[in-house]
Amino acid sequence: MTIHYYKKAEKNASTGYDQTQETVSRMLAEIEAEGESKAKEYCRTLDGWEGDVVVGREQIEAAKAKVPEQLKQDIHFAYERVSRFAAAQRDSIGEFETELSPGLFAGQKLIPMETAGCYVPGGRYAHIASAIMSVATAKVAGVKNVVACSVPRDEQGIHPAILYAMDLAGADTILQMGGVQGIASMAFGLFTGKPADILVGPGNRFVAEAKRQLFGRCGIDMFAGPTEIGIIADQDADPEIVAADLVGQAEHGPDSPVWLFTTSRELADTVSGLMPGLIEALPETQSKAADAAWRDYGEIIVCDTREEVVEVSDRYASEHLELQVADLDWWIERLNSYGSLFVGEEATVAFGDKCSGTNHILPTKGAARYTGGLCAQKFLKIVSYQRQNREATRSVAAATARLSRCEGMEGHARTGDVRLAKYYPDETFDLVIPEEV
């Protein structure tokens, strides 16, 4: 395969990982050992917050009063579409029972998790949409207790619009706490007495690492670290739109990878030339983040054929993948690894991130090779059951006994033996595999 790195990233997702891992491990151990007092201490030192951790109804109502009416309408717009899509995902899988052989029935049940912990980023930016993406989806799935947390931004606590969105989406408890301490509090059940069965939501590398280290004692949605975008564009793509969409993701943070995959050297030249000006035109905070992201994590890869572009794109497994190309159906049929696909120039990550309906909590760091994004099913335990009558036991018990003895599991074999002896005392069964096997 012939690919050309028009621009090669200086850093990758593993840069600085060892230090992150060590910091998170220490913090989790301290918070688990010392409980709420240690979580509050980190809240004071890292978030600068000394107020109540659990948000009360009075604060929520006060926050509602601060949210402009148009913004409330926009939040409702996003909530309605995200909830409808989550409900459609939930309903796409159902419970059933099937008869596998005469008298042998097997079935599937969907059981919502009891408690979900939803992390909503709120430090550099007020991620209003993230509150809807996580909390509303959990509620649509039927989760009984949804605990949401976000970092307090100033002396007033959590951003009013985030609070409004959390409450609208159905959060049962809201914690004013960010970072590792917020994740740990939800996982250990601090301030609520209800340890999370699953932790979901995007965040920085410390939040993502905390979720990773806690996986096992509770579930997680996926590895959702710094956001990524991949754009597949051909010679007819609008370079200004391509560059604008790359910058739109780069502004999330200095470690947000942004990638362009193309067969057009001319497009690569034009987009590369547009990036500095678009980044410089951003406000200072966003400009600094985007400049670092483009410098350290940005890549432009030029391939000779579109088949090579597909191979490269699937290897990168972008969290977000935009298609700004001709013959869209050709690409849709061949691409296999991405968190969410944005088909055509009209569809863009910004729309999906905010309000178009699909969930924006998506896999990063190559995890799209084996998982999709957050959906209602993530909050459901898909469990099986079986039942059978005695006639069905005749064949199942005999086959179990023979298979178990071949495996060397005599205890399993005897469970079949005793049932056959009880249910069919007048019959003889061959329950031993020949020794030559």
Side-chain angles (χ1 to χ4, degrees), residues 21 64 80 95 111 144 160 169 246 271 343 348 358 363-364 401-402:
Q21 186 179 35
K64 287 182 179 180
E80 179 187 352
E95 298 184 345
I111 303 176
K144 183 178 179 181
L246 290 172
V271 170
V343 181
T348 176
T358 56
T364 65
R402 288 188 291 268

Side-chain angles (χ1 to χ4, degrees), residues 393-405 420 430-431 433:
T393 300
R394 181 196 300 267
S395 58
V396 174
T400 296
R402 288 188 291 268
L403 287 168
S404 297
R405 287 196 167 92
L420 291 173
D430 183 5
L431 303 177
I433 297 292

Side-chain angles (χ1 to χ4, degrees), residues 72 100 121 126 178 235 240 249 272 299 316 321 342 386 420:
K72 288 180 180 177
L100 300 175
Q235 69 280 357
E240 185 173 1
Q249 290 305 110
S272 179
E299 289 191 341
Y316 277 65
L321 182 60
F342 300 82
Q386 61 180 268
L420 291 173

Side-chain angles (χ1 to χ4, degrees), residues 261-332:
F261 312 126
T262 184
T263 54
S264 171
R265 178 76 182 215
E266 182 180 357
L267 179 75
D269 287 337
T270 306
V271 170
S272 179
L274 288 170
M275 291 295 288
L278 291 175
I279 291 172
E280 187 177 353
L282 294 172
E284 183 179 4
T285 297
Q286 293 88 332
S287 180
K288 286 183 177 179
D291 182 61
W294 178 241
R295 180 189 66 236
D296 296 337
Y297 292 88
E299 289 191 341
I300 298 178
I301 295 179
V302 180
C303 300
D304 289 340
T305 68
R306 60 183 184 174
E307 287 81 7
E308 291 174 346
V309 173
V310 168
E311 187 173 344
V312 170
S313 178
D314 279 351
R315 185 196 309 162
Y316 277 65
S318 309
E319 177 192 18
H320 308 91
L321 182 60
E322 292 187 359
L323 296 179
Q324 298 188 33
V325 289
D327 196 5
L328 291 168
D329 288 341
W330 185 93
W331 294 91
I332 293 169

Side-chain angles (χ1 to χ4, degrees), residues 57-69 71-72 75-76 158-169 174:
R57 174 50 54 181
E58 183 178 346
Q59 183 180 343
I60 294 173
E61 294 302 322
K64 287 182 179 180
K66 297 177 182 177
V67 179
E69 187 59 33
L71 181 53
K72 288 180 180 177
I75 292 172
H76 279 262
I158 294 174
H159 191 287
I162 291 180
L163 265 185
Y164 181 82
M166 285 175 165
D167 187 61
L168 173 67
I174 300 172

Side-chain angles (χ1 to χ4, degrees), residues 26 37 51 87 96 124 137 228 240 270 291 299 338 422:
R26 172 178 51 78
S37 61
F96 66 85
R124 181 181 289 110
T137 305
E228 307 165 348
E240 185 173 1
T270 306
D291 182 61
E299 289 191 341
Y338 50 81
K422 177 180 179 180

Side-chain angles (χ1 to χ4, degrees), residues 13-14 29 37 50 54 129 144 203 214 266 273 281 303 361-362 378 392 430:
S14 298
S37 61
E50 298 188 14
V54 179
K144 183 178 179 181
L214 288 164
E266 182 180 357
C303 300
I361 299 172
L362 301 165
K378 293 279 188 178
D430 183 5

Side-chain angles (χ1 to χ4, degrees), residues 105-313:
F105 298 86
Q108 172 175 289
K109 285 182 64 63
L110 307 180
I111 303 176
M113 296 179 191
E114 185 77 9
T115 301
C118 299
Y119 187 87
V120 180
R124 181 181 289 110
Y125 306 115
H127 287 273
I128 302 165
S130 287
I132 299 169
M133 301 289 173
S134 57
V135 177
T137 305
K139 278 301 183 182
V140 166
V143 175
K144 183 178 179 181
N145 305 309
V146 175
V147 181
C149 79
S150 188
V151 61
R153 289 165 63 97
D154 54 30
E155 66 278 1
Q156 301 301 316
I158 294 174
H159 191 287
I162 291 180
L163 265 185
Y164 181 82
M166 285 175 165
D167 187 61
L168 173 67
D172 298 288
T173 306
I174 300 172
L175 305 181
Q176 298 185 112
M177 187 172 285
V180 176
Q181 60 273 23
I183 291 290
S185 294
M186 293 189 295
F188 303 147
L190 304 182
F191 310 103
T192 64
K194 297 172 181 176
D197 301 312
I198 187 170
L199 296 167
V200 305
N204 62 22
R205 62 177 65 232
F206 295 98
V207 168
E209 176 60 17
K211 288 167 60 182
R212 189 195 69 81
Q213 291 190 23
L214 288 164
F215 176 65
R217 66 186 301 164
C218 63
I220 64 172
D221 46 4
M222 69 209 79
F223 196 98
T227 191
E228 307 165 348
I229 186 175
I231 298 179
I232 297 176
D234 60 18
Q235 69 280 357
D236 295 323
D238 185 327
E240 185 173 1
I241 289 180
V242 172
D245 287 1
L246 290 172
V247 172
Q249 290 305 110
E251 76 169 349
H252 280 71
D255 53 357
S256 294
V258 291
W259 305 311
L260 170 60
F261 312 126
T262 184
T263 54
S264 171
R265 178 76 182 215
E266 182 180 357
L267 179 75
D269 287 337
T270 306
V271 170
S272 179
L274 288 170
M275 291 295 288
L278 291 175
I279 291 172
E280 187 177 353
L282 294 172
E284 183 179 4
T285 297
Q286 293 88 332
S287 180
K288 286 183 177 179
D291 182 61
W294 178 241
R295 180 189 66 236
D296 296 337
Y297 292 88
E299 289 191 341
I300 298 178
I301 295 179
V302 180
C303 300
D304 289 340
T305 68
R306 60 183 184 174
E307 287 81 7
E308 291 174 346
V309 173
V310 168
E311 187 173 344
V312 170
S313 178

